[in-house]
Amino acid sequence: MKTVISGYYGFDNIGDEAVLKCLVEGLKERGLTDITVLSNKPDETNKKYQVKAVNRNSFKKIYKALKQADALLSGGGSLIQDKTSSKSLWYYLGIMLIGKFLRKKVYVIGQGIGPVDKKFNRWLTAKILNKIDGIAVRDELSKEYLKQLNVRKHIVVAADLVLNFPCSDDKKVFDKVREKEGIDLNSSEYVLICTREWENSELSRVELARAADLIAQDYGYKIVFLPFYHEDIEESDRVATYMKTPYEILTGEYEIEEILNIIKGSSLLIGVRLHSLIFAFISLVPFVGISYDPKVEGFLKSVGESSAGDINSFTAENILKKVNSILQQKEEYINNMSKRLDELKERAKKNFDILFEHNKFEV
């Protein structure tokens, strides 16, 4: 079985690259080794994941790759939405349409769905998704959203592919961070903040900074900003300018495994970026989520949590209330997380099961 993977790959986004690694490894574990990824940086993707890769912006190369393939996998991440732009949605739906035109098997796997707000986009999404061969989403909210869009196909509720990312301790990573950043994460317990820009909300920056100050003052934690994407460095700096207590911003480029070790060594994570919360979860590190998108609420609900509020309206007190509740029962909290993680790891495997339910592919 020759597979083509379509997603937001080759843009140096830590979360999406983690999705791709888990997707590629999951396919290879099941004997599917002939993999082509549509990437913004095909040479880099080829070297990093040991797969074929073609330029995602070249229609000619995409068409050729799909023509030679048996199946197209669209996912994971949040591809079916028009909040970013309609063009982004049309791109991913267009790839699926080409796959069906070429009579290939087409699957959506590991995706969070929505929002799709524009009337034409909602119609187009339902039209195309009703033609594909299988859909596996990462949470119940995504399944319900597809039903609202009038997608009538059977929808499997799996889980985020990154939940099965291998997570191990490597103390050497702190030496590397200290060397790169000039700070020592071993010198005191630290809290990570993983933020992102959203609609230029100055109020959210003020409240996040105030929450960081209160946590530092009440618990004595060092505050460390961990950017997941290069644009997050500037946003971290904007938030930090409102702080009164000392802080650090990690500005080096790190591999996914290094990011995971930085998170694993922390006492708590406050995250806006979805995959910062997922990384904390698989590392069994307590976390507080701030919701900027339905996908954040979807993940939090799937692990039995709720957000500290919407990014446009949360307060520092909202965050502190969540932090106090978690730290007062930290051991019980982590035990519950561990049980839920085991359940979701098994559910995440359903993303791959749909490829074999009705097919006898050669591997």
Side-chain angles (χ1 to χ4, degrees):
M1 177 181 175
K2 298 179 180 179
T3 57
V4 171
I5 300 174
S6 169
Y8 191 72
Y9 305 127
F11 290 92
D12 301 321
N13 183 295
I14 291 292
D16 289 294
E17 293 305 307
V19 167
L20 180 57
K21 178 162 184 170
C22 289
L23 183 46
V24 168
E25 291 303 315
L27 291 173
K28 288 182 177 180
E29 285 173 8
R30 290 159 177 81
L32 307 181
T33 58
D34 195 330
I35 302 167
T36 301
V37 177
L38 309 185
S39 172
N40 188 55
K41 295 179 179 177
D43 290 342
E44 187 176 297
T45 298
N46 166 258
K47 292 175 183 176
K48 188 178 289 187
Y49 304 106
Q50 298 300 299
V51 294
K52 300 172 187 174
V54 300
N55 192 319
R56 75 194 301 273
N57 299 310
S58 170
F59 174 80
K60 183 178 180 181
K61 291 180 179 179
I62 292 171
Y63 188 89
K64 182 179 179 181
L66 286 172
K67 192 171 184 179
Q68 295 173 346
D70 297 300
L72 166 68
L73 312 184
S74 180
S78 302
L79 310 180
I80 309 303
Q81 50 84 20
D82 60 7
K83 189 74 174 179
T84 303
S85 72
S86 290
K87 287 183 179 179
S88 173
L89 174 66
W90 298 342
Y91 173 85
Y92 295 114
L93 292 177
I95 299 295
M96 291 185 223
L97 195 59
I98 295 170
K100 290 313 299 177
F101 174 78
L102 292 172
R103 299 183 179 180
K104 308 300 179 180
K105 297 291 185 180
V106 176
Y107 303 92
V108 162
I109 68 171
Q111 285 203 41
I113 309 296
V116 183
D117 294 325
K118 295 175 181 172
K119 187 176 180 180
F120 172 76
N121 290 344
R122 293 172 70 86
W123 172 84
L124 184 65
T125 298
K127 190 77 173 175
I128 293 175
L129 293 189
N130 278 321
K131 292 180 180 297
I132 68 174
D133 299 277
I135 300 175
V137 294
R138 63 189 179 192
D139 52 58
E140 286 284 352
L141 289 180
S142 294
K143 178 179 179 178
E144 291 305 313
Y145 198 85
L146 284 175
K147 287 183 177 179
Q148 293 172 24
L149 292 177
N150 201 30
V151 174
R152 298 180 300 276
K153 295 195 72 68
H154 175 64
I155 301 163
V156 174
V157 179
D160 196 290
L161 290 154
V162 177
L163 290 166
N164 278 313
F165 197 99
C167 189
S168 60
D169 289 309
D170 185 357
K171 300 302 181 185
K172 292 180 181 179
V173 73
F174 295 110
D175 294 330
K176 189 172 183 179
V177 173
R178 180 167 55 239
E179 184 179 338
K180 276 189 177 182
E181 309 286 350
I183 63 173
D184 186 0
L185 297 181
N186 288 319
S187 63
S188 67
E189 293 183 313
Y190 60 96
V191 168
L192 293 171
I193 296 179
C194 302
T195 190
R196 61 158 293 164
E197 184 177 11
W198 189 252
E199 298 178 352
N200 197 29
S201 175
E202 212 62 32
L203 178 61
S204 67
R205 292 172 184 143
V206 172
E207 291 301 313
L208 186 53
R210 200 158 66 84
D213 281 337
L214 290 171
I215 292 168
Q217 291 164 15
D218 291 356
Y219 293 98
Y221 290 134
K222 176 187 287 186
I223 302 298
V224 179
F225 289 85
L226 175 60
F228 261 54
Y229 196 45
H230 54 80
E231 294 173 355
D232 297 347
I233 297 175
E234 292 181 13
E235 182 61 19
S236 297
D237 189 59
R238 293 187 192 105
V239 173
T241 56
Y242 292 108
M243 288 180 58
K244 297 176 182 177
T245 53
Y247 63 88
E248 301 285 353
I249 300 176
L250 303 184
T251 58
E253 293 184 8
Y254 297 101
E255 296 297 325
I256 300 168
E257 292 80 2
E258 293 169 334
I259 294 287
L260 273 167
N261 273 280
I262 292 169
I263 291 173
K264 200 171 181 66
S266 68
S267 297
L268 177 77
L269 181 143
I270 299 171
V272 179
R273 285 227 177 252
L274 171 64
H275 279 97
S276 71
L277 304 176
I278 294 176
F279 279 14
F281 181 60
I282 64 176
S283 302
L284 297 180
V285 169
F287 59 89
V288 175
I290 299 168
S291 179
Y292 78 96
D293 187 277
K295 65 185 180 182
V296 176
E297 292 290 353
F299 168 70
L300 291 172
K301 185 177 180 180
S302 74
V303 299
E305 290 292 319
S306 59
S307 73
D310 182 85
I311 194 166
N312 296 311
S313 59
F314 76 92
T315 66
E317 285 72 24
N318 294 150
I319 293 177
L320 198 63
K321 184 179 179 180
K322 296 282 289 184
V323 170
N324 290 338
S325 175
I326 290 169
L327 296 183
Q328 284 172 10
Q329 50 178 349
K330 189 173 181 179
E331 186 175 342
E332 182 183 353
Y333 174 91
I334 292 175
N335 285 337
N336 289 336
M337 262 208 305
S338 179
K339 292 175 185 176
R340 190 62 177 146
L341 177 59
D342 289 340
E343 294 172 7
L344 289 177
K345 278 177 174 286
E346 285 303 309
R347 189 188 292 179
K349 295 175 183 178
K350 291 183 179 180
N351 285 300
F352 300 100
D353 292 344
I354 67 168
L355 304 181
F356 300 96
E357 282 181 349
H358 307 292
N359 302 297
K360 297 293 183 182
F361 289 118
E362 291 184 6
V363 298

